[in-house]
Amino acid sequence: MRHRLESGWTSIRDIITSQEQTLQLTPWLQLITRVMEKFPGSLAEDETYPYLNCLSSLIAESKKVEISKYLFIMCRGFLLSTGKKIKLGQRTEELLWSSMEENVDVNIKHIEKVVSDVCLLSKLIYWLLNYGVVNSESLLTMDIVSLLKVLYKKLGMFLGEILQKEGSLPLQNILMKLLSLYDSKFPGGTTSIQAARLIRCLFPAKIVDQLLGIASNKLSKQPSASHSKSDIGHIKLKSRNRPSTSRSIIEDDDMDLEFDQPLARDQGEEEDLDDDFGDSQESEDSNVDAFQSPLSSSSLTEGQTIRLTAIKVLCLWCGYDKSEMKEILPLETNGDPVYIRTKMEELIDEEELDSNKAFDLQMLHAIISGLTTGNHRVSDNDLENMVDAIRRVAKQQRRDHNISCMCLELLGSVVCYLGNDEMPSKTVKECREITVHLLSAFWNLQDQFSSKVRLTTAKCMMAFIEADPKQQWALLSTKEDQSSISTEFIQTMCDLSHDVRMYASQAVSRLYVTGCEEPIPINRHQQNQLFDQIYVIINETIDVRSKQGSLTAERAQDEKNNRTASTLTTVGNIMCSSVVCENKAIFALCQLVRECDIEIKQVYNVLQKVSCILGYKDGHHYMSYHIPYVLNQWLGLNYPVAEFPYQLAFCSSLKNFYRDFCLVIIPQLIMKKNVLDAKEVVTEIKGSWNVILRQCIPHTVIYMLPLFAVANTGNAPVDETLKKRTAHATACYDLLTKEATKEVVEKTIVSCLDEIVVNILKCLYDPEEDFVKTGSIRNIDPEPNPPCYNPYMIRCTLDYVTNSFSGNARTLVDVLSKNQDSIQKILLDISMKLNTEHRLHEKRRLFLMYQQFVKLLLREFSQQLGGSWAYVLRETIHRLVYIANDVIKIYQNGINDCGYSKNIICMSLQLLKEICTVGLETCPEELSKYLPFIVGNIVQMATSDAEDISNEANLLLQLLIIDNYIPLRQAIISLDPFPSEEKFHQLSTLHKRLKYADGPFTLVKEIDHFMRSASSVCNVRKEGLQHLSQQLHENRKQLCQLTSQDTEKDSICQLICKLVQVYQGSKEEVTLEISKCLGEIGPVDLEQNGLPRVDDTVDQVVSLFTGNLQNYYKIFHMLNQYLVDNDMSVVEAASNVLKTLLSTKTGIEFANLYRERLGDKDFLFQYLHPFRPRKKIQAVKEETLSVEEFQQIVDMETLWTPPDCSHDNWIHNLTCTFINAGVQDEILSRLQPICMIKTKFSEIVLPLMIHDLLLQDQPIHREVLSSHIRRFFSSHCEQDSSVSRSHSALSMSSRDISEVCRNKDSIISMLNVVQYLRQQDRPNQGRQEMTAWDNNFWLDLDFLHIAKAAMYCSAHFSAILFAEIWCDIQRQKQDYSGDSQKGTGFSQSFSQTTMIDSLGSLSSSSSTINVQDLLLQTYQEIGDPDGLYGCGAGRLADTSSRVKSYEHENRWEKAVLTYDIVY
């Protein structure tokens, strides 16, 4: 393959070298470019310089622009493909760029080719910088820059010749190419600035002078553009000598614009021409149409067009001159941008600019828009000149709607330079006053302008809003009074023009934020006020009934559709941009459906799109969160619940709506004292009123208990509103007790206390909270769904519940501790919501709930929390670290989240510090178990660029390492080294002092230390791997001894396994260090050693347990680990399974036996304390399925070999099906929740379940299982055989294969089933005792197929084992069928060698697998020096066997020769 590639490159080079310079060469150049783009690095290194020579020759000989273009493109592709690989050397540059220079000097004859080459070379410079082939410093020393200078020099010479001989008329195409060069928008940040500045700095002053001569319409002598900046003082514009007072700048009649004679009006919202156009516009060309717009390019002569293009080029050339941009590439331009800007502004001075001339108007637009691109530095004088020019033109040409649009557009461009300074200069203040005055004048004349002008006015207003987000100076002067621009902008939402309304509806999101670079929302009060104003306007807008009398039915319908579209767009954009008004906006949509007869489908589509934008799974999940608020508002307006548009809740029917949101609807109807409707809801869903009401009690009392609690304290301020609310709550409570009885209500409160506590905590809302520096969060945090209470009311409620419903309990925690799982259920519930919530404002509020409850637990942690202390400590530590890790990823993405992410991380670290403090005081030994986990994650946060996060992380490390190194000594010693940064110096010094207190470590000790610290993969940091790599490198002799001694080789094997295990799923920085460690170890001789298995999920099973007890040990330990998984769905499933298992007789007996045999050696069941049953559970007899039922469930081809199915789904379905098919083991039969989501767990229990089914001694079980497992392996062999004929299976990863019978993970799972069954004793068949050989036949399988599958998965030793079993089976068949043989053995003459040879002629019954070939290949893979000869490799005559023999003996010449003969 490699030879073919190299020969292919050589052939193509020969072709393009021999081709003439015709268009036939183009496809070959395109082919080479595409190949180098698609396969970078495929060009062999020895072909690089021949290609450079070829490329240089082609460029030198090029005489056609089209050919040169593709040569330059190929040149760029060549550099990108080879630059990183060979790092361009001096010789490379000389070959390439010297030939290009010759091309310029000798062969380039029309000037357009020079300009084209300049553009291509400039873009090449950008891509060189962008791809990191060169940096800006080295680029300046390369010939490519010299070549660009030569091209520019030639360009200047050619321009001079043409200007001297023919004038500027032939230059339009040339100037347009230059314009496209300087108007290029290169993507990227720093590299785009570097490239843009470079091509400007290399631009010769001579060309600048030539362009300036064209722009000034003076081709005679011009002042040099390269004079010093000190010479600018005499170039004073006359406009700068105006009186400096703002009153004299704004002339008296400017404010009377709105009182002049009426402007030309549009008829029917169509663009009519100004009646005074002909009188006010003096045409410079007699051919200009009297009705032609002065802003049209066709209104200019050819000379004016060229002059205008030159002006645009000069304006753009002046860009990228800001101080921060100069620092990125500190080069000086050959011309002076300040001087050029001044000369451009002279052209729009009062004496030069005639607003009645088309060219002058277009020149004004070109200069101002060209000098305000955002990449230009604009001085106060520049602002003054531009604003004054706009003011003069706006005053004189206000009757022309197109010119008015231009003035408004230029105002929007200039105003962005007026709002940046906190302390503006006098000039800026004056410019602000003028621009605001002009905008006010246009705004007051809106009813006299066309829709085009009104639209441009709206855009200009938005530019003012963005320039002055705090509304400090941009205040419009209306006929009545002054008003903020944002307030007036809202009025555009009811404009008669659909285009204006749609622009306003899309721009409305900008009204909700302040600031441009990092916008933050305006405060909560302003957002609500703004929404209320907008909602009034859109309600007025959507009502077209007042105009229906003057419109046809069709036109009225169109108008309604248009207004509906703008209304829905407005509300949808508010939902996406304002979390404060999101609830109100959703309810507004529901109300619009009811009151304004908007189609539900349209609103449905808006909600669907918004839910997608905001990151929800679907519209139903989105609306589920907001339904409590929406229903509260709906019922508050006395709308019937039956009339709610259930489609907007993404429900298919009203009945489904009631069923999905019953726990929301019933409590709210109770609080409205509307029992009748509540009962109708229950009737609709065919439920029992008493049952559903009882289920709703925990959700109903949260509306009442907080009010009772505050009133009960006696400290509540006298507030009439509070009194009314309390009286209403009392009446509703009485109603509830009347419907459900007082006894039922109180009993439900006691029994569902954990659920009620969660519901109360959900109501937490504290807009004044200041636990950590919250910045703007306090002012923008949205109010949650009702009801909501401040922290004081929440605390009072929890105390009130404790005192009123818990008997003699002292605190709420006391009450919760009486039930083993109450604390666990509360933590699980809140953690689930925290884990699944993706919106940061709600995640932060949920965290405050979590924080509030954990602090309650910490106060009484020393009392052991009813036995749950170990579970709580472990759970809270892991959960807080996971929360911080998840949120810091959001912070590191650079998303502007108003400080929410940073705030959550800081609160997580602070709460974690409090937990560690309590742990140090009460159980330091237990806390020490989690020190590696904590430190391994917190160290990364301590290096954060956010000072708040870094400080909190360092304080936590200080507490754990420095302040408490005595109680945590052993745990600290086991830690990885700390980073080398200065902030970790004290930590690193202490760690080394403790670790090496007894002297330096040998390499063996270092490896043992690493293995202990890496016992949990998630604790491994790159610093530990760097230290290990360093030790392996420095102790090379010890390493050689370890690898050469059989007694020590096992430690190296263990280390390799651990490194490989850590490698999987680790970050790039970790995998890089692992690769270095493996590189230091080198090729260890592993031929005769199977690598040991490393299982990080469970400890090595102790010898105290045998049989099923060992399986239970593994299962319980895995479930225990899943309790601290990062994925809360796994935690929830594991929690449910553990509660179920520990309620069974088998589970209880195992727990008792476990504690009896291990005692204090293992803490497993201390962590599982919350999952013990509250009361003794009666054993449930397992039902046995009938034969037909078993076959119906298990005997299905799609279950075993489904088409297009991933391994995860396949293994989940398989294990869950077996559970449903009659697995009788009490433990195995209750694992379905975890089997549905955890692949590794399913892989482990699959063999156990199949074994359980076989133990039931049902012939149908063995028959069905044998049939499908046998078919699974045979299908693999058939498909693998067909695939291997087309391409190597190694070219596909296991996860790319959709057929499970070829998916390595799935095959390994089936191989594990076979291996596990072989290791189990088969029950005796009557009086016949089963032997170890009989254990191979739990199922009726073809072991040759299994051997083939094992070899496919690189399980070579297993492949040999299964092949030998197959051979023994065949031997027995031959033995028993032979007439001349007696007994059960072979004859003396039938040796092992002849047996293998004879069996080599046999194959599997359903596929052509030769056992001898399989054994030969397997022994070759494992490197067994004698195994191949034992398979007859030296005696076989077939060529494939001979090739394997030659390869094994390193006789490569014969192997290659034989291979060529065969293939």
Side-chain angles (χ1 to χ4, degrees), residues 1216-1260:
C1216 292
T1217 300
F1218 288 151
I1219 292 173
N1220 297 327
V1223 169
Q1224 292 187 346
D1225 185 281
E1226 270 196 310
I1227 301 298
L1228 297 178
S1229 62
R1230 288 164 171 79
L1231 299 178
Q1232 183 162 343
I1234 198 71
C1235 287
M1236 291 174 66
I1237 59 175
K1238 207 63 180 173
T1239 299
K1240 186 171 183 180
F1241 188 87
S1242 297
E1243 290 170 345
I1244 289 176
V1245 300
L1246 177 63
L1248 311 183
M1249 292 179 176
I1250 292 179
H1251 183 228
D1252 180 84
L1253 290 172
L1254 293 171
L1255 282 174
Q1256 295 176 26
D1257 199 23
Q1258 294 284 339
I1260 188 63

Side-chain angles (χ1 to χ4, degrees), residues 1188-1451:
E1188 293 75 16
E1189 291 172 328
F1190 180 83
Q1191 285 183 306
Q1192 187 176 3
I1193 295 175
V1194 179
D1195 194 9
M1196 296 176 62
E1197 193 68 28
T1198 55
L1199 173 67
W1200 295 88
T1201 54
D1204 195 22
C1205 180
S1206 68
H1207 169 69
D1208 292 349
N1209 290 336
W1210 174 78
I1211 195 77
H1212 296 163
N1213 292 336
L1214 204 57
T1215 49
C1216 292
T1217 300
F1218 288 151
I1219 292 173
N1220 297 327
V1223 169
Q1224 292 187 346
D1225 185 281
E1226 270 196 310
I1227 301 298
L1228 297 178
S1229 62
R1230 288 164 171 79
L1231 299 178
Q1232 183 162 343
I1234 198 71
C1235 287
M1236 291 174 66
I1237 59 175
K1238 207 63 180 173
T1239 299
K1240 186 171 183 180
F1241 188 87
S1242 297
E1243 290 170 345
I1244 289 176
V1245 300
L1246 177 63
L1248 311 183
M1249 292 179 176
I1250 292 179
H1251 183 228
D1252 180 84
L1253 290 172
L1254 293 171
L1255 282 174
Q1256 295 176 26
D1257 199 23
Q1258 294 284 339
I1260 188 63
H1261 290 182
R1262 186 174 188 273
E1263 179 184 336
V1264 171
L1265 292 173
S1266 296
S1267 170
H1268 286 285
I1269 295 178
R1270 184 169 59 247
R1271 195 174 306 154
F1272 177 92
F1273 286 114
S1274 65
S1275 297
H1276 162 76
C1277 294
E1278 292 168 4
Q1279 292 196 26
D1280 186 51
S1281 177
S1282 62
V1283 169
S1284 62
R1285 286 193 292 268
S1286 58
H1287 57 79
S1288 172
L1290 295 177
S1291 64
M1292 285 187 172
S1293 67
S1294 182
R1295 300 200 178 275
D1296 293 332
I1297 301 174
S1298 58
E1299 301 91 344
V1300 292
C1301 59
R1302 289 190 58 245
N1303 187 302
K1304 288 186 179 180
D1305 295 326
S1306 306
I1307 296 169
I1308 290 172
S1309 298
M1310 277 301 181
L1311 289 173
N1312 289 338
V1313 170
V1314 176
Q1315 280 285 38
Y1316 177 80
L1317 291 176
R1318 287 187 60 255
Q1319 297 165 2
Q1320 309 306 311
D1321 293 333
R1322 288 184 67 188
N1324 294 336
Q1325 301 291 331
R1327 295 183 179 181
Q1328 181 184 356
E1329 292 186 4
M1330 296 290 105
T1331 64
W1333 171 253
D1334 293 319
N1335 293 341
N1336 293 317
F1337 307 106
W1338 282 92
L1339 298 171
D1340 182 13
L1341 303 175
D1342 188 328
F1343 280 93
L1344 189 56
H1345 286 160
I1346 301 173
K1348 178 70 173 178
M1351 187 174 69
Y1352 176 82
C1353 298
S1354 302
H1356 304 300
F1357 290 102
S1358 297
I1360 293 173
L1361 170 65
F1362 294 132
E1364 289 178 346
I1365 293 174
W1366 184 85
C1367 287
D1368 285 344
I1369 293 172
Q1370 302 307 313
R1371 178 184 61 80
Q1372 286 186 352
K1373 289 180 180 178
Q1374 291 184 3
D1375 188 18
Y1376 288 124
S1377 61
D1379 296 332
S1380 61
Q1381 299 297 328
K1382 296 181 180 179
T1384 60
F1386 278 119
S1387 66
Q1388 295 290 331
S1389 63
F1390 196 66
S1391 65
Q1392 180 183 2
T1393 300
T1394 56
M1395 181 191 74
I1396 291 289
D1397 290 344
S1398 64
L1399 290 176
S1401 61
L1402 299 176
S1403 63
S1404 173
S1405 58
S1406 58
S1407 64
T1408 57
I1409 302 174
N1410 187 293
V1411 67
Q1412 199 164 12
D1413 285 344
L1414 186 146
L1415 286 170
L1416 284 170
Q1417 185 176 348
T1418 307
Y1419 278 117
Q1420 186 179 28
E1421 291 289 343
I1422 64 175
D1424 189 328
D1426 300 321
L1428 264 70
Y1429 301 113
C1431 297
R1435 303 183 308 279
L1436 297 179
D1438 65 286
T1439 52
S1440 62
S1441 299
R1442 287 165 56 197
V1443 167
K1444 289 182 173 63
S1445 299
Y1446 292 143
E1447 289 174 350
H1448 180 67
E1449 296 166 354
N1450 289 328
R1451 299 163 69 183

Side-chain angles (χ1 to χ4, degrees), residues 883-903:
I883 291 170
N885 275 340
D886 290 343
V887 179
I888 204 168
K889 293 174 186 175
I890 301 172
Y891 173 78
Q892 291 170 344
N893 286 337
I895 300 172
N896 179 22
D897 57 25
C898 306
Y900 275 109
S901 59
K902 187 165 66 172
N903 186 240

